[in-house]
Amino acid sequence: MNQTESNTSILVIDDKPDNLKIIIDELKELGLHKHALTAPNGKIGLELAKKYIPQLILTDWEMPEMDGYQLVEAVKADEALAHIPIIMVTAVMKKPEDLSESFKAGVHDFLSKPFNKLEFQARIKNVLHLSQTERNLRASYKKLSELDKAKSTFFANVSHDLKNPIAIILGLTDMLLVEHEDVLPLDTIDKLRAIQRFSKTLNNLSTEIRELIRLDEGLLKLNRTKCTVNEYIEEFTTLFRPVAEAKEVSLVFNTTLSDSELVLIDTWHFEKVLYNLVSNALDFTNAGTTIEIKCEKDQEYLYINILDEGPGIDPSQLEQMFNRFYSNDSLNNKREGLGIGLAIAKEIVTLHGGSISAENRRKLGAAFTISIPLDAEPLPEEGEAVERWLSDSVIALPTKVETAETIPQNEAMKSILIVDDNPDIRLLISELLRKEYRIHEARNGAEAMNKLQEREIDLIITDLAMPVMDGFEFIEQVQDTRYKDIPCLIVSSRADKDQLHKALDRGVEFVLPKPFDAKELRTRVKNLIERSDGDRSIAATFSHFDPEATRKEMIRQLETLVIKNIDNPMFGIQNLANEIAVSQRKLFKVLKDALDITPLEFIKKIRFQYADQLIKLRKVGSLSDAAKSIGMTNVTNFKKQYERFVGQEPKLTE
């Protein structure tokens, strides 16, 4: 008898004392009686099980108060008890269907009364052995899970901690090239550009680590919106074409779709899919070849094909293409990275309800095919893409640096407050901006609040992760004060999509991830300050009007515009903002202050009130007609949204 068996606790449940004695005697022969517990019915047995957590339960079928089947259901429904094996010991054998249901409910084995001693001992030993094996596996799994979590935390910290030094290296290199390129020796310029190139490679590796962690933890979530396919793919191709041309590869886009064809995707994440596939094609093709992005569809799916003229894929490796850490060694490891780009692409496509595959073309090269369902409907929480909040902030990057003669005098300079606990990052941003702006610095949100009280600030640039008071707390405090109209730019290594959403909800104008491009930082700063000046000019223009009357008139105009476009599914926040000549953030603030709703909620509320009137006046004959009247095609989604915004179910039938 081993040590585990001698210390095993067993719970025996039977309403007849004689049966309890027989079973305890049998357990005594096995050396398992010392830790045995007994109960006269399932109800008491369940309480004992919760208190002592036995390693095995032996129970009768028919008992008062709670029978054996009810006991099994109760045990398996309790997370703390569900792992305990149960043997049913009964003199009443039920119908086969009852036995089947019992096994489904969680019974491990049956013993008939009166039972054979050898059979009894064999079944007890077998179940206990399996139970011990299962416990060992659970303990190992728990240990592995803890190690995996520790690994993820370690890599997440490594990924985050790499961002600051990479940002500093790239920023200082940019400064040297921009400000001194005309006086530096050519070999020095080549070395600086090599530093830039390898720093960007290091940054890409760090980003891949972060993406892998998000995949492991199931944090990759979609925020889908309707997208015009041709326009979206053409824009991506245009942006990527210079990269292809640098390798002397032709990148072309062909489509059989109409320009009005829509698909429901998360444009933010889907761009990563295209980026990974096209980058992969570029890595394995030679100068003088062509990479084609082709779009087509059938009744159910949109197909996006990426076709290259490279060496193709070893047939034995085709099935491994989308596995993590896959690397095609036969091509001399041309691809830089951790080998998870295609795995990330597959995960994103799968979340869209689609699939991705790879095959060799007939003559030369490889073909990757993405399929996305065309009839997908947005989930209730989806529909407002983050990019729409940012679209009025994105402008072309400048092509040249302003000369010293264009730098304003100190008294005319705008003031910028840089908030970051890393002194090197503060120094870098300061060096990039100090010729055009007055710079003030703070190490955390608490110091920054004091600076705001001491000085006139035109723009805030802040990190998120800081001691004492982090970026989110700081932004929330700013929004509750007279400084709430100061535009805010986040520059952070933790600027993933979830953080972006959170920051936008707190009034941030834009989020720039570390490491950042020096030119883009300057452009964002200039754009935000100019737009802020424009908002103040508009406010000054209308300052002699009754503010309440002006706000009511503005809302009336917005309502009219929504009704005018009531059945246009592409009509959105940007259209509203354009109508009253304000930024989307300004529109957000106006509607929040006036009606305590977001612009998207405002549009939906008017649409469903309109549909409600059509239904009440019997101007539509079905829910399908009512949905189409406001630009929707999915009746189920229409009913859910209608009930949310109107407060009751629609009183029409199909």
Side-chain angles (χ1 to χ4, degrees):
M1 192 67 58
N2 61 40
Q3 186 65 28
T4 302
E5 288 175 334
S6 64
N7 291 329
T8 298
S9 62
I10 297 178
L11 173 60
V12 184
I13 308 171
D14 200 304
D15 59 326
K16 294 181 173 55
D18 290 342
N19 289 337
L20 289 174
K21 184 177 184 306
I22 291 171
I23 293 175
I24 294 298
D25 287 343
E26 294 298 334
L27 293 177
K28 188 173 184 179
E29 289 196 23
L30 292 171
L32 301 173
H33 64 293
K34 293 181 181 179
H35 301 281
L37 306 166
T38 60
N41 57 55
K43 186 176 181 180
I44 295 175
L46 182 62
E47 293 303 316
L48 288 173
K50 290 179 179 178
K51 184 175 181 180
Y52 295 102
I53 315 294
Q55 295 176 12
L56 173 64
I57 296 176
L58 299 170
T59 181
D60 191 15
W61 186 304
E62 292 187 341
M63 297 179 292
E65 295 195 60
M66 178 184 283
D67 64 24
Y69 185 78
Q70 292 171 322
L71 172 69
V72 172
E73 287 188 316
V75 168
K76 296 305 175 182
D78 190 318
E79 187 176 351
L81 308 178
H83 66 281
I84 301 173
I86 301 174
I87 298 178
M88 194 75 74
V89 185
T90 178
V92 183
M93 295 304 294
K94 297 289 184 179
K95 294 180 291 185
E97 53 267 32
D98 291 334
L99 297 177
S100 176
E101 287 300 314
S102 297
F103 279 118
K104 287 180 183 178
V107 172
H108 287 68
D109 206 348
F110 274 89
L111 272 171
S112 300
K113 296 177 183 176
F115 47 75
N116 178 276
K117 178 182 294 189
L118 292 178
E119 181 184 6
F120 176 88
Q121 293 181 358
R123 290 187 185 239
I124 294 294
K125 286 181 177 180
N126 183 54
V127 170
L128 286 175
H129 176 72
L130 291 175
S131 176
Q132 182 62 45
T133 301
E134 184 182 344
R135 284 198 302 276
N136 292 340
L137 287 173
R138 281 202 310 272
S140 298
Y141 176 78
K142 183 179 179 182
K143 195 173 203 179
L144 286 172
S145 296
E146 291 171 352
L147 288 172
D148 190 59
K149 186 176 180 181
K151 175 210 71 176
S152 295
T153 302
F154 171 75
F155 281 124
N157 289 336
V158 168
S159 176
H160 173 259
D161 292 344
L162 282 173
K163 295 294 183 180
N164 280 339
I166 293 172
I168 293 166
I169 293 168
L170 283 171
L172 293 175
T173 308
D174 280 345
M175 286 174 57
L176 289 172
L177 287 171
V178 169
E179 298 176 5
H180 306 292
E181 187 172 9
D182 53 345
V183 297
L184 289 172
L186 289 178
D187 63 332
T188 302
I189 291 174
D190 288 341
K191 290 172 184 175
L192 287 172
R193 286 178 177 159
I195 292 172
Q196 276 186 323
R197 186 169 64 255
F198 289 119
S199 295
K200 288 176 180 177
T201 298
L202 186 59
N203 181 55
N204 291 337
L205 293 174
S206 174
T207 301
E208 283 193 347
I209 291 172
R210 184 177 62 189
E211 291 292 344
L212 179 61
I213 292 168
R214 292 177 65 79
L215 283 174
D216 282 342
E217 296 181 353
L219 296 177
L220 204 61
K221 296 179 182 178
L222 300 183
N223 186 19
R224 300 174 296 172
T225 186
K226 287 183 178 178
C227 168
T228 307
V229 180
N230 286 348
E231 182 181 358
Y232 178 72
I233 304 295
E234 178 62 47
E235 182 180 354
F236 172 82
T237 306
T238 301
L239 291 173
F240 218 91
R241 195 167 279 130
V243 181
E245 290 174 352
K247 289 197 65 175
E248 299 180 23
V249 172
S250 176
L251 179 61
V252 299
F253 170 53
N254 292 312
T255 181
T256 61
L257 308 180
S258 68
D259 287 339
S260 60
E261 187 69 47
L262 300 175
V263 68
L264 195 65
I265 59 172
D266 184 320
T267 55
W268 177 289
H269 281 115
F270 204 81
E271 189 171 315
K272 295 178 184 177
V273 177
L274 297 176
Y275 176 86
N276 275 306
L277 294 182
V278 175
S279 296
N280 190 69
L282 280 171
D283 284 332
F284 296 117
T285 53
N286 297 319
T289 59
T290 297
I291 296 173
E292 179 186 7
I293 303 177
K294 184 171 71 173
C295 286
E296 52 193 358
K297 70 167 187 172
D298 58 19
Q299 294 294 322
E300 298 181 1
Y301 289 93
L302 163 70
Y303 299 99
I304 303 173
N305 304 288
I306 289 86
L307 313 171
D308 66 52
E309 296 177 350
I313 306 165
D314 186 334
S316 66
Q317 297 179 327
L318 276 171
E319 293 184 2
Q320 305 175 49
M321 289 295 296
F322 301 99
N323 293 339
R324 294 180 187 179
F325 310 111
Y326 167 80
S327 179
N328 192 339
D329 295 330
S330 63
L331 293 178
N332 300 319
N333 293 318
K334 288 184 181 180
R335 185 74 189 260
E336 293 180 342
L338 300 176
I340 63 173
L342 292 180
I344 293 170
K346 182 181 179 181
E347 180 78 10
I348 293 171
V349 172
T350 302
L351 286 174
H352 279 85
S355 63
I356 185 170
S357 61
E359 62 181 357
N360 286 312
R361 303 174 71 182
R362 287 185 180 180
K363 292 184 178 179
L364 184 67
F368 287 80
T369 300
I370 305 165
S371 64
I372 298 292
L374 289 169
D375 60 351
E377 283 290 337
L379 299 172
E381 66 272 15
E382 290 183 336
E384 184 172 5
V386 175
E387 292 81 2
R388 293 183 179 273
W389 286 96
L390 307 180
S391 60
D392 65 325
S393 297
V394 180
I395 62 175
L397 293 175
T399 56
K400 62 180 181 178
V401 181
E402 293 183 343
T403 62
E405 286 75 21
T406 64
I407 298 174
Q409 297 300 310
N410 286 340
E411 60 271 15
M413 286 181 173
K414 298 290 184 179
S415 293
I416 295 176
L417 175 59
I418 302 170
V419 191
D420 199 301
D421 61 323
N422 189 313
D424 294 324
I425 292 291
R426 295 200 307 272
L427 175 62
L428 171 62
I429 297 175
S430 174
E431 287 296 311
L432 289 171
L433 301 175
R434 65 184 175 82
K435 290 184 179 179
E436 298 172 272
Y437 306 97
R438 290 199 303 273
I439 303 298
H440 306 285
E441 298 181 17
R443 292 174 296 179
N444 53 60
E447 282 190 11
M449 289 303 300
N450 292 331
K451 297 283 184 181
L452 287 174
Q453 295 172 24
E454 297 169 359
R455 297 171 176 83
E456 191 73 24
I457 300 296
D458 296 289
L459 174 70
I460 297 169
I461 299 176
T462 182
D463 189 19
L464 291 177
M466 298 180 291
V468 185
M469 181 188 292
D470 66 21
F472 289 120
E473 294 174 296
F474 169 54
I475 293 163
E476 285 179 345
Q477 286 208 15
V478 169
Q479 289 301 307
D480 291 334
T481 67
R482 60 188 177 90
Y483 312 113
K484 65 181 180 180
D485 291 328
I486 299 175
C488 183
L489 169 65
I490 280 181
V491 178
S492 174
S493 58
R494 294 188 175 177
D496 57 26
K497 191 175 181 184
D498 291 338
Q499 297 282 15
L500 191 152
H501 273 292
K502 190 176 177 181
L504 285 173
D505 288 342
R506 284 161 172 75
V508 172
E509 299 287 342
F510 200 84
V511 180
L512 193 64
K514 296 176 185 174
F516 50 82
D517 179 85
K519 290 182 179 179
E520 184 176 4
L521 176 68
R522 291 190 180 105
T523 300
R524 296 294 180 197
V525 167
K526 181 180 178 183
N527 191 40
L528 289 173
I529 288 179
E530 287 180 352
R531 198 176 69 190
S532 177
D533 288 343
D535 286 346
R536 281 195 288 269
S537 298
I538 292 172
T541 302
F542 288 95
S543 61
H544 60 284
F545 288 116
D546 173 20
E548 197 64 29
T550 302
R551 187 167 60 182
K552 288 179 180 177
E553 174 61 22
M554 187 181 293
I555 291 171
R556 187 194 66 77
Q557 291 179 29
L558 296 176
E559 290 173 345
T560 302
L561 183 64
V562 174
I563 292 172
K564 190 185 298 183
N565 294 271
I566 200 73
D567 61 347
N568 178 7
M570 296 302 294
F571 180 82
I573 301 166
Q574 182 65 64
N575 306 89
L576 285 179
N578 289 343
E579 178 68 12
I580 58 174
V582 298
S583 69
Q584 293 179 39
R585 288 306 308 169
K586 186 70 174 179
L587 175 65
F588 181 90
K589 291 176 182 176
V590 167
L591 289 174
K592 265 293 185 182
D593 290 343
L595 304 174
D596 195 28
I597 58 176
T598 66
L600 184 64
E601 289 171 336
F602 178 78
I603 294 171
K604 287 186 175 182
K605 184 175 181 180
I606 294 173
R607 280 182 167 158
F608 283 97
Q609 286 176 346
Y610 179 87
D612 183 46
Q613 287 299 309
L614 293 182
I615 291 172
K616 287 178 178 176
L617 296 173
R618 294 289 172 181
K619 296 210 174 168
V620 287
S622 67
L623 290 182
S624 292
D625 292 339
K628 289 176 183 176
S629 72
I630 60 171
M632 296 183 69
T633 57
N634 186 292
V635 175
T636 301
N637 192 33
F638 171 80
K639 289 169 70 176
K640 290 180 180 177
Q641 299 272 9
Y642 181 97
E643 188 172 354
R644 175 188 169 193
F645 285 96
V646 178
Q648 61 184 22
E649 293 184 359
K651 305 297 183 182
L652 269 178
T653 57
E654 284 296 297

